[in-house]
Coordinates of all heavy atoms in Angstrom, one line a residue:
M1 N 0.8 -1.2 0.0 CA 0.0 0.0 0.0 C 0.9 1.2 0.0 O 1.9 1.3 0.7 CB -0.9 0.0 1.2 CG -1.9 1.1 1.2 SD -3.3 0.6 2.3 CE -3.7 2.2 2.9
T2 N 0.5 2.2 -0.8 CA 1.3 3.4 -0.9 C 0.9 4.4 0.2 O -0.3 4.5 0.6 CB 1.1 4.1 -2.3 OG1 1.9 5.2 -2.4 CG2 -0.4 4.4 -2.6
D3 N 1.9 5.2 0.6 CA 1.7 6.2 1.6 C 1.5 7.6 1.0 O 1.3 8.6 1.6 CB 2.8 6.3 2.7 CG 2.8 5.0 3.6 OD1 1.7 4.5 3.8 OD2 3.8 4.7 4.1
E4 N 1.7 7.7 -0.3 CA 1.7 8.9 -1.1 C 0.3 9.4 -1.1 O -0.7 8.7 -1.4 CB 2.2 8.7 -2.5 CG 2.3 10.0 -3.3 CD 2.9 9.7 -4.6 OE1 3.7 8.8 -4.8 OE2 2.5 10.5 -5.5
P5 N 0.1 10.7 -0.6 CA -1.3 11.2 -0.6 C -1.9 11.4 -2.0 O -1.2 11.8 -2.9 CB -1.1 12.6 0.1 CG 0.3 12.9 0.1 CD 1.0 11.6 -0.1
V6 N -3.1 11.1 -2.1 CA -3.8 11.2 -3.4 C -4.9 12.3 -3.3 O -5.7 12.5 -4.3 CB -4.3 9.9 -4.0 CG1 -3.2 8.9 -4.3 CG2 -5.3 9.3 -3.0
T7 N -5.0 12.9 -2.2 CA -6.1 13.9 -2.0 C -5.5 15.1 -1.3 O -4.5 15.1 -0.6 CB -7.3 13.4 -1.2 OG1 -6.8 13.1 0.1 CG2 -7.9 12.2 -1.8
S8 N -6.1 16.3 -1.5 CA -5.9 17.5 -0.7 C -7.2 18.2 -0.6 O -8.1 18.0 -1.4 CB -4.8 18.4 -1.3 OG -5.2 18.8 -2.6
L9 N -7.3 19.0 0.5 CA -8.6 19.7 0.8 C -8.3 21.2 0.9 O -7.4 21.6 1.6 CB -9.1 19.1 2.1 CG -10.4 19.6 2.6 CD1 -11.5 19.0 1.8 CD2 -10.6 19.1 4.1
H10 N -9.2 22.0 0.3 CA -9.1 23.4 0.3 C -10.5 24.0 0.6 O -11.4 23.7 -0.2 CB -8.5 24.0 -1.0 CG -7.2 23.3 -1.3 ND1 -6.0 23.8 -0.8 CD2 -6.9 22.3 -2.1 CE1 -5.0 23.1 -1.3 NE2 -5.5 22.1 -2.0
R11 N -10.6 24.9 1.6 CA -11.9 25.4 1.9 C -11.9 26.9 1.5 O -10.9 27.6 1.7 CB -12.1 25.3 3.4 CG -12.4 23.9 3.8 CD -12.8 23.8 5.3 NE -13.3 22.5 5.6 CZ -12.6 21.6 6.2 NH1 -11.3 21.8 6.5 NH2 -13.1 20.4 6.5
S12 N -13.1 27.4 1.0 CA -13.3 28.8 0.8 C -14.6 29.1 1.5 O -15.2 28.3 2.1 CB -13.3 29.1 -0.7 OG -14.5 28.5 -1.3
A13 N -15.1 30.3 1.3 CA -16.3 30.8 2.0 C -17.5 29.9 1.7 O -18.3 29.7 2.6 CB -16.6 32.3 1.7
D14 N -17.7 29.5 0.4 CA -18.9 28.9 0.0 C -18.7 27.4 -0.5 O -19.7 26.7 -0.7 CB -19.7 29.7 -1.0 CG -18.9 30.0 -2.2 OD1 -17.6 29.8 -2.2 OD2 -19.4 30.4 -3.2
A15 N -17.5 27.0 -0.7 CA -17.2 25.7 -1.3 C -16.0 25.1 -0.6 O -15.1 25.8 -0.2 CB -17.0 25.8 -2.8
T16 N -16.0 23.8 -0.6 CA -14.8 23.0 -0.2 C -14.4 22.2 -1.4 O -15.2 21.5 -2.0 CB -15.1 22.1 1.0 OG1 -15.5 22.9 2.1 CG2 -13.9 21.2 1.3
T17 N -13.1 22.3 -1.8 CA -12.6 21.6 -2.9 C -11.7 20.4 -2.5 O -10.8 20.6 -1.7 CB -11.7 22.5 -3.8 OG1 -12.6 23.6 -4.3 CG2 -11.2 21.7 -5.0
V18 N -12.0 19.2 -3.0 CA -11.2 18.0 -2.7 C -10.5 17.8 -4.0 O -11.1 17.5 -5.1 CB -12.1 16.8 -2.3 CG1 -11.2 15.6 -2.2 CG2 -12.9 17.1 -1.1
R19 N -9.2 17.9 -4.0 CA -8.4 17.6 -5.2 C -7.9 16.2 -5.2 O -7.3 15.8 -4.2 CB -7.2 18.6 -5.3 CG -7.7 20.0 -5.6 CD -6.6 20.9 -6.0 NE -7.1 22.2 -6.4 CZ -7.2 23.3 -5.6 NH1 -6.7 23.3 -4.4 NH2 -7.7 24.4 -6.1
L20 N -8.1 15.5 -6.3 CA -7.6 14.1 -6.4 C -6.3 14.2 -7.3 O -6.3 14.9 -8.4 CB -8.6 13.2 -7.0 CG -10.0 13.1 -6.3 CD1 -10.9 12.1 -6.9 CD2 -9.8 12.8 -4.8
H21 N -5.3 13.4 -6.9 CA -4.0 13.4 -7.6 C -3.6 12.0 -8.1 O -3.9 11.1 -7.3 CB -2.9 14.0 -6.7 CG -3.3 15.2 -6.0 ND1 -3.1 16.5 -6.5 CD2 -3.7 15.4 -4.7 CE1 -3.5 17.4 -5.7 NE2 -3.9 16.7 -4.6
G22 N -3.0 11.9 -9.2 CA -2.4 10.6 -9.6 C -3.4 9.6 -10.0 O -4.3 9.8 -10.8
E23 N -3.3 8.4 -9.3 CA -4.2 7.3 -9.6 C -5.0 6.9 -8.3 O -4.4 6.8 -7.3 CB -3.4 6.1 -10.1 CG -2.7 6.3 -11.4 CD -2.0 5.1 -11.9 OE1 -2.0 4.0 -11.3 OE2 -1.4 5.2 -13.0
I24 N -6.3 6.7 -8.5 CA -7.1 6.3 -7.4 C -7.6 4.9 -7.7 O -8.1 4.6 -8.7 CB -8.4 7.2 -7.3 CG1 -8.1 8.6 -7.1 CG2 -9.3 6.7 -6.1 CD1 -7.3 9.0 -5.9
D25 N -7.2 4.0 -6.8 CA -7.5 2.5 -6.9 C -7.8 1.9 -5.6 O -7.8 2.6 -4.6 CB -6.5 1.8 -7.8 CG -5.1 1.9 -7.1 OD1 -5.0 2.1 -5.9 OD2 -4.1 1.8 -7.9
V26 N -7.9 0.6 -5.6 CA -8.2 -0.1 -4.3 C -7.2 0.1 -3.2 O -7.5 0.1 -2.0 CB -8.4 -1.6 -4.6 CG1 -7.1 -2.3 -5.0 CG2 -9.1 -2.3 -3.5
L27 N -5.9 0.4 -3.6 CA -4.9 0.6 -2.6 C -5.0 1.9 -1.8 O -4.5 2.1 -0.7 CB -3.5 0.5 -3.3 CG -3.2 -0.8 -3.9 CD1 -1.8 -0.8 -4.6 CD2 -3.2 -1.9 -2.9
N28 N -5.6 2.9 -2.4 CA -5.7 4.2 -1.8 C -7.1 4.9 -1.7 O -7.2 6.0 -1.3 CB -4.7 5.2 -2.4 CG -4.9 5.4 -3.9 OD1 -6.0 5.2 -4.4 ND2 -3.9 5.7 -4.6
V29 N -8.1 4.1 -2.1 CA -9.4 4.7 -2.1 C -9.9 5.2 -0.8 O -10.7 6.1 -0.7 CB -10.4 3.7 -2.8 CG1 -10.7 2.6 -1.9 CG2 -11.7 4.4 -3.2
D30 N -9.4 4.6 0.3 CA -9.9 5.0 1.6 C -9.5 6.5 1.9 O -10.2 7.2 2.6 CB -9.3 4.1 2.7 CG -9.9 2.7 2.7 OD1 -11.0 2.6 2.2 OD2 -9.3 1.8 3.3
Q31 N -8.4 6.9 1.3 CA -8.0 8.4 1.5 C -9.1 9.3 0.9 O -9.4 10.3 1.5 CB -6.7 8.6 0.8 CG -5.5 8.0 1.4 CD -4.2 8.4 0.6 OE1 -4.0 9.6 0.3 NE2 -3.4 7.4 0.3
V32 N -9.7 8.8 -0.2 CA -10.7 9.6 -0.9 C -11.9 9.7 0.0 O -12.5 10.8 0.2 CB -11.0 9.1 -2.3 CG1 -12.1 9.9 -2.9 CG2 -9.8 9.1 -3.1
R33 N -12.4 8.6 0.5 CA -13.5 8.5 1.4 C -13.3 9.4 2.6 O -14.2 10.2 3.0 CB -13.9 7.1 1.8 CG -14.4 6.3 0.7 CD -14.7 4.8 1.2 NE -15.1 4.0 0.2 CZ -16.4 3.8 -0.2 NH1 -17.4 4.4 0.4 NH2 -16.7 3.0 -1.2
V34 N -12.2 9.3 3.3 CA -11.9 10.1 4.5 C -11.9 11.6 4.1 O -12.5 12.4 4.9 CB -10.6 9.7 5.1 CG1 -10.1 10.7 6.1 CG2 -10.7 8.3 5.7
R35 N -11.3 11.9 3.0 CA -11.3 13.4 2.7 C -12.7 13.9 2.3 O -13.0 15.1 2.7 CB -10.3 13.5 1.5 CG -10.0 15.0 1.2 CD -9.2 15.6 2.3 NE -7.8 15.1 2.3 CZ -6.9 15.4 3.1 NH1 -7.1 16.2 4.1 NH2 -5.7 14.9 3.0
L36 N -13.5 13.1 1.7 CA -14.9 13.6 1.4 C -15.7 13.8 2.7 O -16.4 14.7 2.8 CB -15.6 12.6 0.5 CG -15.0 12.6 -1.0 CD1 -15.6 11.5 -1.8 CD2 -15.4 14.0 -1.7
V37 N -15.5 12.9 3.7 CA -16.2 13.0 5.0 C -15.7 14.3 5.6 O -16.5 15.1 6.2 CB -16.0 11.8 5.8 CG1 -16.4 12.0 7.3 CG2 -16.7 10.6 5.3
E38 N -14.4 14.5 5.6 CA -13.8 15.8 6.2 C -14.4 17.0 5.5 O -14.7 18.0 6.2 CB -12.3 15.8 6.1 CG -11.6 14.8 7.0 CD -10.1 14.7 6.7 OE1 -9.6 15.4 5.8 OE2 -9.4 14.0 7.4
A39 N -14.5 16.9 4.2 CA -15.1 18.1 3.5 C -16.5 18.4 3.9 O -16.9 19.5 4.0 CB -15.0 17.8 2.0
L40 N -17.3 17.4 4.2 CA -18.7 17.6 4.6 C -18.8 18.1 6.0 O -19.8 18.7 6.4 CB -19.4 16.2 4.5 CG -19.9 15.9 3.1 CD1 -20.3 14.4 3.0 CD2 -21.0 16.8 2.7
E41 N -17.8 17.9 6.9 CA -17.9 18.2 8.3 C -18.1 19.7 8.5 O -18.8 20.1 9.4 CB -16.6 17.8 9.0 CG -16.5 16.3 9.2 CD -15.2 15.9 9.9 OE1 -14.3 16.7 10.0 OE2 -15.1 14.7 10.2
S42 N -17.6 20.6 7.6 CA -17.8 22.0 7.7 C -19.1 22.5 7.1 O -19.4 23.7 7.1 CB -16.6 22.8 7.1 OG -16.6 22.5 5.7
R43 N -19.9 21.6 6.5 CA -21.2 21.9 5.9 C -21.1 23.0 4.9 O -21.8 24.1 5.0 CB -22.2 22.3 7.0 CG -22.5 21.3 8.1 CD -23.4 20.2 7.7 NE -24.7 20.7 7.5 CZ -25.7 20.1 6.9 NH1 -25.4 18.8 6.5 NH2 -26.8 20.6 6.6
P44 N -20.2 22.9 3.9 CA -20.1 23.9 2.8 C -21.3 23.9 2.0 O -22.2 23.0 2.0 CB -18.9 23.4 2.0 CG -19.0 21.9 2.1 CD -19.5 21.7 3.6
G45 N -21.5 25.0 1.2 CA -22.6 25.1 0.2 C -22.4 24.1 -0.9 O -23.4 23.5 -1.3
T46 N -21.2 23.8 -1.2 CA -20.9 22.9 -2.3 C -19.5 22.2 -2.1 O -18.6 22.8 -1.6 CB -20.8 23.7 -3.7 OG1 -22.0 24.4 -3.9 CG2 -20.5 22.7 -4.8
I47 N -19.5 21.0 -2.5 CA -18.2 20.3 -2.5 C -17.8 20.1 -4.0 O -18.7 19.7 -4.8 CB -18.3 18.9 -1.9 CG1 -18.4 19.0 -0.4 CG2 -17.0 18.0 -2.2 CD1 -18.6 17.7 0.4
V48 N -16.6 20.5 -4.3 CA -16.1 20.4 -5.7 C -15.0 19.3 -5.7 O -14.0 19.5 -4.9 CB -15.6 21.7 -6.3 CG1 -15.0 21.5 -7.7 CG2 -16.7 22.8 -6.3
V49 N -15.1 18.3 -6.5 CA -14.1 17.3 -6.6 C -13.3 17.6 -7.8 O -13.8 17.5 -8.9 CB -14.6 15.9 -6.6 CG1 -13.5 14.9 -6.7 CG2 -15.5 15.6 -5.4
D50 N -12.1 18.2 -7.6 CA -11.2 18.7 -8.7 C -10.4 17.5 -9.2 O -9.6 16.9 -8.5 CB -10.3 19.8 -8.2 CG -9.5 20.4 -9.3 OD1 -9.3 19.8 -10.4 OD2 -9.0 21.6 -9.1
L51 N -10.6 17.2 -10.5 CA -10.0 16.0 -11.1 C -8.8 16.4 -12.1 O -8.3 15.6 -12.8 CB -11.0 15.2 -11.9 CG -12.3 14.8 -11.1 CD1 -13.3 14.2 -12.1 CD2 -12.0 13.9 -10.0
T52 N -8.4 17.6 -12.0 CA -7.4 18.2 -12.9 C -6.1 17.3 -12.9 O -5.6 17.0 -14.0 CB -7.0 19.6 -12.5 OG1 -8.2 20.4 -12.6 CG2 -5.9 20.2 -13.5
E53 N -5.7 16.9 -11.8 CA -4.4 16.1 -11.7 C -4.6 14.6 -11.5 O -3.7 13.9 -11.2 CB -3.6 16.7 -10.5 CG -3.2 18.1 -10.7 CD -2.4 18.6 -9.5 OE1 -1.8 17.8 -8.8 OE2 -2.5 19.9 -9.3
L54 N -5.8 14.2 -11.8 CA -6.1 12.7 -11.7 C -5.9 12.1 -13.0 O -6.4 12.5 -14.1 CB -7.6 12.5 -11.3 CG -8.0 11.1 -11.0 CD1 -7.3 10.5 -9.8 CD2 -9.5 11.0 -10.9
S55 N -5.0 11.0 -13.0 CA -4.7 10.4 -14.3 C -5.5 9.1 -14.5 O -5.6 8.6 -15.6 CB -3.2 10.1 -14.4 OG -2.8 9.3 -13.3
F56 N -6.0 8.5 -13.4 CA -6.7 7.2 -13.5 C -7.6 7.0 -12.3 O -7.2 7.4 -11.2 CB -5.7 6.0 -13.6 CG -6.4 4.7 -13.5 CD1 -7.0 4.2 -14.7 CD2 -6.5 3.9 -12.4 CE1 -7.7 2.9 -14.7 CE2 -7.1 2.7 -12.3 CZ -7.7 2.2 -13.5
I57 N -8.8 6.4 -12.5 CA -9.7 6.1 -11.4 C -10.3 4.7 -11.7 O -10.8 4.6 -12.9 CB -10.7 7.2 -11.1 CG1 -11.5 6.9 -9.9 CG2 -11.6 7.4 -12.4 CD1 -12.3 8.1 -9.4
D58 N -10.3 3.8 -10.8 CA -10.9 2.5 -11.0 C -12.3 2.5 -10.4 O -12.8 3.5 -9.9 CB -10.1 1.4 -10.5 CG -10.0 1.2 -9.0 OD1 -10.6 2.0 -8.3 OD2 -9.3 0.3 -8.5
S59 N -13.0 1.4 -10.4 CA -14.4 1.3 -9.9 C -14.5 1.6 -8.4 O -15.5 2.1 -8.0 CB -14.9 -0.1 -10.2 OG -14.2 -1.1 -9.6
T60 N -13.4 1.3 -7.7 CA -13.5 1.6 -6.2 C -13.4 3.1 -6.0 O -14.1 3.6 -5.1 CB -12.4 0.9 -5.4 OG1 -11.1 1.3 -5.9 CG2 -12.5 -0.6 -5.5
G61 N -12.7 3.8 -6.9 CA -12.6 5.2 -6.8 C -13.9 5.9 -7.2 O -14.4 6.8 -6.6
L62 N -14.6 5.3 -8.2 CA -15.9 5.8 -8.6 C -16.9 5.6 -7.5 O -17.7 6.4 -7.2 CB -16.4 5.1 -9.9 CG -15.6 5.4 -11.2 CD1 -16.1 4.4 -12.3 CD2 -15.7 6.8 -11.6
G63 N -16.8 4.4 -6.8 CA -17.6 4.2 -5.7 C -17.4 5.2 -4.5 O -18.4 5.6 -3.9
A64 N -16.2 5.6 -4.3 CA -15.9 6.6 -3.3 C -16.6 8.0 -3.7 O -17.1 8.7 -2.8 CB -14.4 6.8 -3.1
I65 N -16.5 8.3 -5.0 CA -17.2 9.5 -5.4 C -18.7 9.4 -5.2 O -19.3 10.4 -4.7 CB -16.8 9.9 -6.9 CG1 -15.3 10.3 -6.9 CG2 -17.7 11.0 -7.4 CD1 -14.8 10.5 -8.3
I66 N -19.3 8.3 -5.5 CA -20.7 8.1 -5.3 C -21.0 8.2 -3.9 O -22.0 8.8 -3.5 CB -21.1 6.8 -5.9 CG1 -21.0 6.8 -7.5 CG2 -22.6 6.4 -5.5 CD1 -21.1 5.4 -8.1
F67 N -20.2 7.6 -3.0 CA -20.4 7.7 -1.6 C -20.4 9.2 -1.1 O -21.3 9.6 -0.4 CB -19.2 7.0 -0.9 CG -19.0 7.3 0.5 CD1 -19.7 6.7 1.5 CD2 -18.0 8.2 0.9 CE1 -19.5 6.9 2.9 CE2 -17.8 8.5 2.3 CZ -18.5 7.9 3.2
G68 N -19.5 10.0 -1.6 CA -19.4 11.4 -1.3 C -20.6 12.1 -1.8 O -21.2 13.0 -1.1
F69 N -21.0 11.8 -3.0 CA -22.2 12.5 -3.6 C -23.5 12.2 -2.8 O -24.2 13.1 -2.5 CB -22.4 12.0 -5.1 CG -23.7 12.3 -5.7 CD1 -24.0 13.6 -6.0 CD2 -24.7 11.3 -5.8 CE1 -25.2 14.0 -6.6 CE2 -25.9 11.7 -6.4 CZ -26.2 13.0 -6.7
Q70 N -23.6 10.9 -2.4 CA -24.8 10.5 -1.7 C -24.9 11.2 -0.3 O -25.9 11.7 0.2 CB -24.9 9.0 -1.5 CG -25.2 8.3 -2.9 CD -25.1 6.8 -2.8 OE1 -24.4 6.3 -2.0 NE2 -25.9 6.2 -3.6
R71 N -23.7 11.2 0.4 CA -23.7 11.9 1.7 C -23.9 13.4 1.6 O -24.6 13.9 2.4 CB -22.3 11.6 2.4 CG -22.0 10.2 2.5 CD -21.9 9.6 3.9 NE -21.8 10.3 5.1 CZ -20.9 10.0 6.0 NH1 -20.0 9.1 5.8 NH2 -20.9 10.7 7.2
A72 N -23.4 14.0 0.6 CA -23.6 15.4 0.3 C -25.1 15.7 0.1 O -25.7 16.6 0.7 CB -22.8 15.9 -0.8
R73 N -25.7 14.9 -0.8 CA -27.1 15.1 -1.2 C -28.0 14.9 0.1 O -28.9 15.7 0.3 CB -27.5 14.0 -2.2 CG -28.9 14.1 -2.7 CD -29.4 12.9 -3.4 NE -29.2 11.7 -2.6 CZ -29.0 10.5 -3.0 NH1 -28.9 10.3 -4.3 NH2 -28.8 9.5 -2.2
D74 N -27.7 13.9 0.9 CA -28.4 13.7 2.1 C -28.3 14.8 3.1 O -29.3 15.1 3.9 CB -28.0 12.4 2.8 CG -28.3 11.1 2.0 OD1 -29.1 11.2 1.0 OD2 -27.8 10.1 2.4
Q75 N -27.3 15.6 3.0 CA -27.1 16.8 3.9 C -27.4 18.1 3.3 O -27.2 19.1 3.9 CB -25.6 16.8 4.4 CG -25.3 15.6 5.3 CD -23.8 15.7 5.8 OE1 -23.2 16.7 5.9 NE2 -23.2 14.5 6.0
G76 N -27.9 18.0 2.0 CA -28.3 19.2 1.3 C -27.1 20.1 0.9 O -27.3 21.3 0.7
V77 N -26.0 19.4 0.6 CA -24.8 20.1 0.1 C -24.7 19.8 -1.4 O -24.8 18.6 -1.8 CB -23.6 19.6 0.9 CG1 -22.3 20.1 0.3 CG2 -23.7 19.9 2.4
G78 N -24.3 20.8 -2.1 CA -24.1 20.6 -3.6 C -22.9 19.8 -3.8 O -22.0 19.7 -2.9
F79 N -22.8 19.1 -4.9 CA -21.6 18.2 -5.2 C -21.3 18.3 -6.7 O -22.2 18.1 -7.5 CB -22.0 16.8 -4.8 CG -20.8 15.9 -4.8 CD1 -20.1 15.7 -3.6 CD2 -20.4 15.1 -5.9 CE1 -19.0 14.8 -3.6 CE2 -19.4 14.3 -5.9 CZ -18.6 14.1 -4.7
Q80 N -20.1 18.6 -7.1 CA -19.7 18.8 -8.4 C -18.4 18.1 -8.7 O -17.5 18.1 -7.8 CB -19.5 20.2 -8.8 CG -20.8 21.1 -8.7 CD -20.5 22.6 -8.9 OE1 -19.3 23.0 -8.9 NE2 -21.5 23.4 -9.0
L81 N -18.2 17.6 -9.9 CA -16.9 17.1 -10.4 C -16.4 18.2 -11.3 O -17.2 18.9 -12.0 CB -17.1 15.8 -11.2 CG -17.7 14.7 -10.4 CD1 -17.8 13.4 -11.3 CD2 -16.8 14.3 -9.2
A82 N -15.1 18.4 -11.4 CA -14.5 19.5 -12.2 C -13.2 19.1 -12.8 O -12.4 18.4 -12.3 CB -14.2 20.7 -11.3
H83 N -13.1 19.5 -14.1 CA -11.8 19.5 -14.9 C -11.2 18.1 -15.0 O -10.0 17.9 -14.9 CB -10.8 20.4 -14.2 CG -11.3 21.7 -13.9 ND1 -11.7 22.7 -14.8 CD2 -11.5 22.3 -12.7 CE1 -12.2 23.7 -14.2 NE2 -12.0 23.6 -12.9
P84 N -12.0 17.1 -15.5 CA -11.4 15.8 -15.7 C -10.5 15.8 -17.0 O -10.9 16.5 -17.9 CB -12.6 14.9 -15.8 CG -13.6 15.7 -16.4 CD -13.4 17.1 -15.8
S85 N -9.5 15.0 -17.0 CA -8.7 14.8 -18.3 C -9.6 14.0 -19.2 O -10.7 13.5 -18.8 CB -7.5 14.0 -18.0 OG -7.8 12.7 -17.6
R86 N -9.2 13.9 -20.5 CA -10.0 13.2 -21.5 C -10.2 11.8 -21.0 O -11.3 11.2 -21.1 CB -9.3 13.3 -22.8 CG -10.0 12.4 -23.9 CD -9.3 12.5 -25.2 NE -10.1 13.5 -26.0 CZ -9.7 14.0 -27.0 NH1 -8.5 13.8 -27.5 NH2 -10.4 14.9 -27.7
G87 N -9.2 11.1 -20.6 CA -9.3 9.7 -20.2 C -10.2 9.5 -19.0 O -11.0 8.6 -18.9
V88 N -10.1 10.4 -18.0 CA -10.9 10.3 -16.8 C -12.4 10.6 -17.1 O -13.3 9.9 -16.7 CB -10.4 11.2 -15.6 CG1 -11.4 11.3 -14.5 CG2 -9.0 10.6 -15.1
R89 N -12.5 11.6 -18.0 CA -13.9 11.9 -18.4 C -14.6 10.7 -19.1 O -15.8 10.5 -18.9 CB -13.9 13.1 -19.4 CG -15.3 13.6 -19.8 CD -15.2 14.7 -20.8 NE -16.5 15.1 -21.2 CZ -17.2 16.1 -20.8 NH1 -16.6 16.9 -19.9 NH2 -18.4 16.4 -21.2
Q90 N -13.8 10.0 -19.9 CA -14.4 8.9 -20.6 C -14.8 7.8 -19.6 O -15.9 7.2 -19.8 CB -13.3 8.3 -21.6 CG -13.9 7.1 -22.4 CD -12.9 6.6 -23.4 OE1 -11.7 6.9 -23.4 NE2 -13.4 5.8 -24.3
I91 N -14.0 7.6 -18.6 CA -14.4 6.6 -17.5 C -15.7 7.1 -16.8 O -16.6 6.3 -16.6 CB -13.3 6.5 -16.5 CG1 -12.1 5.7 -17.2 CG2 -13.8 5.7 -15.3 CD1 -10.8 5.7 -16.4
L92 N -15.8 8.4 -16.6 CA -17.0 8.9 -15.9 C -18.2 8.8 -16.8 O -19.3 8.4 -16.3 CB -16.8 10.4 -15.6 CG -15.7 10.7 -14.6 CD1 -15.5 12.3 -14.5 CD2 -16.0 10.2 -13.2
V93 N -18.1 9.0 -18.1 CA -19.2 8.8 -19.0 C -19.6 7.4 -19.1 O -20.8 7.0 -19.0 CB -18.8 9.4 -20.4 CG1 -19.8 8.9 -21.5 CG2 -18.7 10.9 -20.4
L94 N -18.6 6.5 -19.3 CA -19.0 5.0 -19.4 C -19.6 4.5 -18.1 O -20.4 3.6 -18.2 CB -17.7 4.2 -19.7 CG -17.1 4.5 -21.1 CD1 -15.8 3.8 -21.3 CD2 -18.1 4.0 -22.2
S95 N -19.2 5.0 -17.0 CA -19.8 4.6 -15.7 C -21.2 5.0 -15.5 O -21.9 4.5 -14.6 CB -18.9 5.0 -14.5 OG -19.1 6.4 -14.3
G96 N -21.6 6.1 -16.2 CA -23.0 6.6 -16.0 C -23.0 7.7 -14.9 O -24.0 8.3 -14.6
L97 N -21.9 7.9 -14.2 CA -21.8 8.9 -13.1 C -22.2 10.3 -13.5 O -22.9 11.0 -12.7 CB -20.4 8.9 -12.5 CG -20.2 9.6 -11.2 CD1 -21.1 9.0 -10.1 CD2 -18.8 9.5 -10.7
L98 N -21.9 10.7 -14.7 CA -22.3 12.0 -15.1 C -23.8 12.3 -15.3 O -24.2 13.4 -15.5 CB -21.5 12.4 -16.4 CG -20.0 12.5 -16.2 CD1 -19.3 13.0 -17.4 CD2 -19.6 13.4 -15.0
E99 N -24.5 11.2 -15.3 CA -26.0 11.3 -15.4 C -26.6 11.8 -14.1 O -27.7 12.3 -14.1 CB -26.6 10.0 -15.8 CG -26.2 9.5 -17.2 CD -26.7 8.2 -17.6 OE1 -27.7 7.7 -17.0 OE2 -26.2 7.6 -18.5
V100 N -25.8 11.6 -13.0 CA -26.4 12.1 -11.7 C -25.5 13.1 -11.0 O -26.0 13.9 -10.1 CB -26.5 10.9 -10.7 CG1 -27.6 9.9 -11.2 CG2 -25.2 10.1 -10.5
V101 N -24.2 13.3 -11.4 CA -23.4 14.2 -10.7 C -23.0 15.3 -11.7 O -22.6 15.0 -12.9 CB -22.1 13.5 -10.2 CG1 -21.1 14.6 -9.6 CG2 -22.4 12.5 -9.2
E102 N -23.1 16.6 -11.3 CA -22.8 17.7 -12.2 C -21.3 17.8 -12.5 O -20.5 17.6 -11.6 CB -23.3 19.0 -11.5 CG -23.1 20.2 -12.3 CD -23.5 21.5 -11.5 OE1 -24.1 21.4 -10.4 OE2 -23.2 22.6 -12.1
L103 N -21.0 18.1 -13.7 CA -19.6 18.3 -14.2 C -19.5 19.7 -14.6 O -20.2 20.3 -15.3 CB -19.3 17.4 -15.4 CG -17.9 17.5 -16.0 CD1 -16.9 17.0 -15.0 CD2 -17.8 16.8 -17.3
T104 N -18.4 20.4 -14.0 CA -18.1 21.7 -14.4 C -16.7 21.7 -15.1 O -15.9 20.9 -14.8 CB -18.0 22.7 -13.2 OG1 -17.0 22.2 -12.3 CG2 -19.3 22.8 -12.5
E105 N -16.6 22.5 -16.1 CA -15.4 22.5 -16.9 C -14.4 23.6 -16.5 O -14.7 24.5 -15.8 CB -15.7 22.7 -18.4 CG -16.4 21.5 -19.0 CD -15.7 20.2 -18.9 OE1 -14.4 20.2 -19.0 OE2 -16.3 19.2 -18.8

């Protein structure tokens, strides 16, 4: 298991941004879940999951995003995905995730 962080958290007045870095897979997906829970703790207006620096995400990573989306929805917090690379965007489209989660460019 890798110790290299794959997430970072940034708060502003109305939104909390969770940035994903590198590759998200079964070895590090727990970091994503923990970070999304931390993002929700401050009850922001919106959580933005920034995918700019994400090069790969597997099904466990998609599951973590769905987990965060559902928790945010249940708490009345907006949830958006932002800036995926072409490859990551294709995975999001094929998974059907973009049918329920808003994507901002």
